[in-house]
Amino acid sequence: MIGLVDANNFYVSCQRSFDPRLNGKAVVVLSNNDGCVVARSNEAKALGIKMGVPFFQLEELRQQHDLTVFSSNYTLYGDMSARLIALLGRFVEEVEVYSIDEAFLNLSGYEQLYPNLTELAQTIRSTSNQWLRIPVSVGLAPTKTLAKVANWYAKREPGHNGVFMLDTKAAIDDALQTFDVADLWGIGWRYAGMLKRNGIRTAAQFAALPDDWINAKLTVNGLRLAYELRGTPCKLLELEHQPKQTICTAPSFGKLIPDLATITEALTTHVGRAAEKLRKQESAAGALSIFLHTNRFRKTPGNGLPAKQYADSRTVILPHATSSTPELVRYAQAALQAIYAFGYEYQKVGVILSGLVPAGHQQQALFSDAPDQRLASLSKVVDKINHRHGRDKVRLADAGYNPEWHHKRQWISPNYTTRWREILSVR
Amino acid sequence: MTALRRQERLSVYDFARATVETQLRIPFFQSLVQAGFPSPAENYVERVCDLNDLCISNAEATYFVRVASDSMIGDRIDRDDVLVVDCSREPVDGKIVVVWLNGDHVVKRIHYAGELIVLMSSNPKYDPIYVHPGDDFRVFGVVTFVIQKPV
């Protein structure tokens, strides 16, 4: 059996974990830069607030209702997520971290230890509730896809008390009869539309389709999905953390920026962040892309006409793979100067590092410089200092001192678990 | 013989290569390795004492909180002290606990008198608090250590 543990309204639950006043209230969490809604409490869902709604559209609701708004605090959510995963590891050996708020558990072989899996799931729920004050739902089924379906029911039907098991053929058939094919794991809106045009509305109808038809219309991935729904596991737990193939850092500016100097500061900081991630996973980048663009939706203030637009990007193939911040910054700044055009209000500059190779495996070229090992060591030392004394304590002067381009986080909550000055206060 | 010596030298370098990610502190050797005479202390290397081992038994369920009142001064818990709170411990009778009560997190000693829960301060200025049914009450966790800077 496979278990899927999914935290309910995770970001909202993290905020509530340290501020119980928010319990029973409408709460939303906004995306980076306070752009749009990325998490809603059940009460906020009941107010009709949809996922992805731009924040400015909530202004009226905020005046009429008791609606609490938070900027996303990924430091807090990341820490709570790590605690949740560690907690799950106490019960089961094999845990696949699927996303920040979801994990698969491999429960096969635990029959002796946990004869009643529903009871185990309830214990996981109450432990998370006591240790983290985060409510979770658990779906139990023979395959990952069915565990997703079971979790859907566990979360939405209060009678199940947060745990739902699909263990018999009858229970699985029953659940798939009423399960919308569009909600299936891996069925995007295109496939959902195509299936509905062909009269397939439920997961049960999908699972009953002939293999040839599925293979022709939805490729082998669709076929795997059908097998999983029929109870044959095709997706195994991915326990090894895969190093990323590309690393991208590109948060929007907090306000529109026209001048090259400020954009250069922002880019230098982004490259620094990306290089730090690169070194953390022990990789080096073989190529670097820079992109720069204006806000597509912006209207010129005054006349309301669409503002003039500009977007460009530039990719630099590096002479040797490197993870050194100063080296990457040098290429990034040159690329930025090549694509920057005067006279626009820019919204975003970003960097993508690609062609990643393990840091140790660098090919020596005959006619180009070998990477300077001293630079790589220097960056590692800087990482250590910053890890101990706080982010950006040591950084390139080009990153500037006055980060006016930083993104907006107007309603950020304290970092209850990661900063001494912001920990919970008791009387 | 030469090969053996090189191996011994390498092992000393390995000790010094502590990574920051794991926070595993490893003693750094000051003594130089003399050719043929490895440091006599080498076989006695142990991890240095880590306060986390002493104060935290269950990291996932442990939180730090700061004290903002003198209500527990009788238990030598003063303003600005940092409490180590373990949410996996049972709040048994007589433990010092952090609880959420009617809109505030408070640190008190918990007592059970039948159905009734009593939260005691250890400062005569503060009265005992009786938790009534219908109060917004839940136990956050049990205080396991007090971190204090002497004055």
Side-chain angles (χ1 to χ4, degrees), chain A residues 48-361:
Chain A
I49 299 171
K50 296 266 177 290
M51 203 67 165
V53 175
F55 171 65
F56 65 85
Q57 289 182 13
L58 295 181
E59 207 41 61
E60 207 171 311
L61 272 174
R62 239 157 56 87
Q63 282 160 15
Q64 290 165 359
H65 299 274
D66 185 11
L67 174 64
T68 311
V69 176
F70 285 100
S71 304
S72 39
N73 184 342
Y74 287 110
T75 315
L76 177 65
Y77 310 152
D79 177 57
M80 295 309 278
S81 174
R83 286 171 189 254
L84 177 60
I85 301 306
L87 180 159
L88 296 174
R90 300 267 183 130
F91 293 94
V92 183
E93 171 99 24
E94 294 187 355
V95 178
E96 178 194 336
V97 183
Y98 181 65
S99 70
I100 192 166
D101 58 353
E102 278 176 288
F104 287 103
L105 315 178
N106 183 2
L107 297 168
S108 44
Y110 284 90
E111 293 79 6
Q112 291 293 315
L113 196 54
Y114 308 122
N116 184 340
L117 288 180
T118 312
E119 238 164 60
L120 166 69
Q122 287 296 355
T123 310
I124 289 175
R125 262 169 61 81
S126 60
T127 308
S128 169
N129 199 24
Q130 189 188 340
W131 294 13
L132 314 176
R133 300 162 301 283
I134 301 249
V136 299
S137 303
V138 188
L140 300 160
T143 68
K144 282 171 97 175
T145 307
L146 284 172
K148 275 264 192 188
V149 172
N151 194 285
W152 192 93
Y153 283 107
K155 190 161 284 183
R156 280 168 188 77
E157 295 181 354
H160 299 313
N161 223 351
V163 176
F164 191 51
M165 174 145 78
L166 293 174
D167 50 348
T168 62
K169 180 144 190 348
I172 293 171
D173 289 346
D174 224 31
L176 297 185
Q177 287 296 338
T178 48
F179 197 85
D180 190 336
V181 74
D183 289 331
L184 277 177
W185 190 29
I187 296 284
W189 61 273
R190 270 176 211 279
Y191 277 147
M194 185 274 285
L195 289 167
K196 287 196 175 164
R197 280 195 300 282
N198 284 284
I200 292 132
R201 305 197 165 273
T202 68
Q205 285 173 317
F206 178 77
L209 286 169
D211 287 1
D212 293 347
W213 193 91
I214 299 176
N215 200 5
K217 298 269 190 188
L218 295 102
T219 75
V220 68
N221 288 323
L223 202 54
R224 279 202 196 107
L225 181 64
Y227 271 87
E228 286 245 318
L229 289 175
R230 295 170 197 158
T232 311
C234 295
K235 299 180 183 187
L236 301 176
L237 256 61
E238 288 170 19
L239 301 171
E240 289 289 309
H241 178 72
Q242 299 292 329
K244 287 189 187 138
Q245 294 304 306
T246 57
I247 290 174
C248 175
T249 308
S252 299
F253 300 135
K255 60 178 192 183
L256 297 173
I257 303 285
D259 66 297
L260 181 61
T262 313
I263 296 173
T264 304
E265 283 183 11
L267 178 66
T268 305
T269 306
H270 298 346
V271 172
R273 287 267 187 284
E276 210 181 305
K277 288 186 209 165
L278 193 64
R279 292 191 292 270
K280 201 166 174 196
Q281 68 166 42
E282 304 273 331
S283 299
L288 164 151
S289 311
I290 299 301
F291 59 91
L292 175 70
H293 63 74
T294 49
N295 181 357
R296 278 192 300 140
F297 301 110
R298 183 167 172 264
K299 305 266 193 291
T300 307
N303 61 16
L305 294 172
K308 50 182 187 158
Q309 299 294 324
Y310 179 87
D312 202 355
S313 66
R314 182 64 56 94
T315 298
V316 184
I317 308 292
L318 306 177
H320 50 252
T322 181
S323 64
S324 134
T325 302
E327 210 175 356
L328 289 166
V329 162
R330 192 155 55 94
Y331 293 112
Q333 290 185 352
L336 176 65
Q337 271 159 21
I339 60 175
Y340 173 79
F342 180 77
Y344 296 92
E345 298 276 343
Y346 291 100
Q347 183 198 24
K348 184 184 272 196
V349 67
V351 58
I352 302 171
L353 301 178
S354 51
L356 304 194
V357 294
H361 295 213

Side-chain angles (χ1 to χ4, degrees), chain A residues 17-21 80 83 86-87 90 129-133 384 387 417 420-421 423-427, chain B residues 20 23 58-69 87-88 98 100 104-108 138 140:
Chain A
S17 173
F18 296 92
D19 189 357
R21 271 175 306 183
M80 295 309 278
R83 286 171 189 254
L87 180 159
R90 300 267 183 130
N129 199 24
Q130 189 188 340
W131 294 13
L132 314 176
R133 300 162 301 283
K384 279 187 191 174
H387 185 88
T417 58
W420 285 112
R421 299 169 74 171
I423 61 177
L424 211 60
S425 168
V426 296
R427 293 197 302 114
Chain B
V20 177
Q23 289 285 324
N58 190 354
E60 295 94 275
T62 299
Y63 303 87
F64 302 120
V65 304
R66 198 177 296 278
V67 180
S69 89
C87 297
S88 66
V98 170
W100 172 260
D104 278 307
H105 280 112
V106 294
V107 53
K108 295 283 174 273
R138 87 167 267 177
F140 181 88

Side-chain angles (χ1 to χ4, degrees), chain B residues 72 90-99 107-113 116-121 129 131 137-142:
Chain B
M72 294 301 281
E90 280 305 310
V92 293
D93 190 85
K95 285 279 180 199
I96 297 178
V97 294
V98 170
V99 302
V107 53
K108 295 283 174 273
R109 198 178 283 276
I110 195 165
H111 289 291
Y112 300 92
L116 204 64
I117 296 171
V118 191
L119 302 173
M120 302 289 289
S121 298
I129 302 168
V131 181
F137 172 80
R138 87 167 267 177
V139 175
F140 181 88
V142 175

